[in-house]
Amino acid sequence: MPQPLQVLKSELRTELDRILNYWSNHTLDFDHGGFLGQIDHWNNVVPNAPKGIILNTRILWSFSAASNHLKTNEHQFICDRAYDYLKDYFKDPVHSGVFWELDYTGNPINTRKQIYAQAFAIYALSEYYIFSKNEDAKQWAIQLFEIIEKVAKDSLNGGYLEAFREDWLPIEDMRLSTKDLNASKTMNTHLHILEAYTRLSDIYENDQLKNSLKELVLLFQNRFLTAENHYDLFFDSNWSLLSSVISYGHDIETAWLVIEAAMRLNNQPLLKEVQETAIRVANTFLREAIDDDMGVINEKNVKTGQVDQDRHWWPQMEAIVGLSYVYGLTNDPKYIESALAIWKFTKKHLVDHVNGEWHFRVDKNGIPYTQEDKISMWKAPYHTTRACILLSTENPLG
């Protein structure tokens, strides 16, 4: 292995331990169970913060995936704690599925059923089952898959609807957050359904699952992918485009996740097609998404030309993974050289070497936004641990 890649592997292996130790030591809620809902930039616990499903499923996935990767039971306590809290508090005992948000004591305060959240629960439960062999976790994951297929799948127009009420009836406001458009179908939710179904297929042999996974891969190829090698983000139920924004982190993350999905389908022509797509997406990403300092910018509105030059923590790591995948396909050094340069930028500006964990985002000069949290509904260890796991293997770049 070339020396720079060996260094990358070593540094990401160390960073994985660093991240896991932070979450083990700082985020447990000893007063009310589970995990704290919010910790600010300076590591101060925000009192009585609500607890979100995305944070909690991502904790379960991260520690389960790390345990599977490291082949250790060292983090079993965290894995079991995360699973038990999901089961005891986030699981809807009446209508099935998982709630969106609880108060700090564990009482549901937002009971809507976001399909994004159901998908993340499948992803986390599948990973936890591989670690624990807990059959109840596997059956719960399968049940959530069946709910998504029954309720959210649009049999007329294809794809999946975004959100529902607690009782799975239609809901008007489907947004994941106030930053999102109120769209019936989003690329982001489809991406994480694809990700969840990919991992579920490793533990559950089922024709419907395989067919749905193939349909998702084809949606990304034929519906979301643009002629300019980006992925469109927001649509109505009839697939009319609602947004002109490009999310660079989602572009490069999608490129490699679709490859992973296609690999499970045993369909060589389709796999070749998505690999070729990934190369084109990566080339566009290299041209547009990386600034002179080798940080990945956040997004661009192609209609107005407005660019958000902030560097969020997660696109940096998705870029390193995605570019590494394409390097493995092409053996072209430009991809891995860029990945290494992005890691250098990330180490310097996004990793918090003083207080631990990572900054949520920095501006174009590399200065952290101190109003952003270390831990929150959307700030979890998932993107970072996943990159560290994938790229700290014996042969990290294929």
Side-chain angles (χ1 to χ4, degrees), residues 3-4 18 52 74 117 125 145 148 177 181 193 214 217 219 246 264 290 300 315 324 331 344-345 350:
Q3 183 61 27
R18 209 176 144 275
E74 179 184 353
L125 291 168
F145 158 70
I148 292 176
S177 74
L181 291 180
I193 298 172
K214 182 179 179 181
V217 171
L219 274 177
I246 295 165
R264 302 311 199 278
I290 304 174
K300 177 181 180 179
S324 300
N331 212 31
K344 183 178 180 181
F345 170 87
L350 273 305

Side-chain angles (χ1 to χ4, degrees), residues 55 58 95 122 169 177 194 201 212 219 224 240 278 363:
L55 173 62
R58 288 179 173 184
H95 302 290
I122 292 171
L169 290 175
S177 74
L194 173 129
S201 70
S212 293
L219 274 177
F224 294 112
S240 296
D363 66 16

